[in-house]
Amino acid sequence: MAQKIHIVLEDDLDGSEATETVSFGLDGTSYEIDLNDQNAAALRESLATYVGHARKVSGARRGGGRRSGGSSSSSANGSGGPTAKEVREWARENGYEVPDRGRVSAEVREAYDAAH
């Protein structure tokens, strides 16, 4: 005997028929919500300003525990410290050779801290 299953999505906000499932993430947690066209557009419009200023994160990094570590530039910047970009710019202006990407040496960071 054959069975046919029909799934109907219900909009999680207003109970109407949903047309899509929207996925998004915040603070390291991924979310999904079923929405109709109007509510999906409103969600995207609400987030557009933030998305426009944000950096994309590759799938390999998503969900990893790295965000809680103390060595990333975002956590250093969140605690009021200088960003790697700021340290690199200062180092170049002061005769240090620093890579365009990757870790800034402890020597350069110490010199930056001493100068500031």
Side-chain angles (χ1 to χ4, degrees):
M1 176 181 284
Q3 292 183 349
K4 184 176 183 179
I5 299 173
H6 182 72
I7 298 174
V8 177
L9 295 178
E10 183 176 291
D11 187 297
D12 291 323
L13 293 180
D14 64 16
S16 66
E17 187 173 339
T19 54
E20 65 180 300
T21 300
V22 178
S23 300
F24 61 99
L26 181 64
D27 294 336
T29 303
S30 297
Y31 299 91
E32 285 188 342
I33 186 167
D34 299 324
L35 298 172
N36 62 33
D37 290 337
Q38 182 180 355
N39 287 335
L43 174 61
R44 288 184 176 102
E45 185 177 323
S46 297
L47 295 174
T49 300
Y50 301 99
V51 171
H53 289 83
R55 295 177 301 277
K56 280 191 174 183
V57 178
S58 68
R61 193 168 161 200
R62 181 186 296 164
R66 183 157 183 208
R67 289 189 68 131
S68 61
S71 64
S72 72
S73 62
S74 62
S75 63
N77 191 26
S79 64
T83 65
K85 180 181 179 184
E86 292 169 334
V87 174
R88 281 189 181 90
E89 288 174 359
W90 175 88
R92 288 186 182 114
E93 291 170 359
N94 289 277
Y96 290 89
E97 289 187 26
V98 290
D100 290 335
R101 298 179 61 171
R103 183 173 289 223
V104 175
S105 72
E107 174 191 359
V108 172
R109 283 223 177 246
E110 289 169 7
Y112 178 91
D113 290 340
H116 293 89

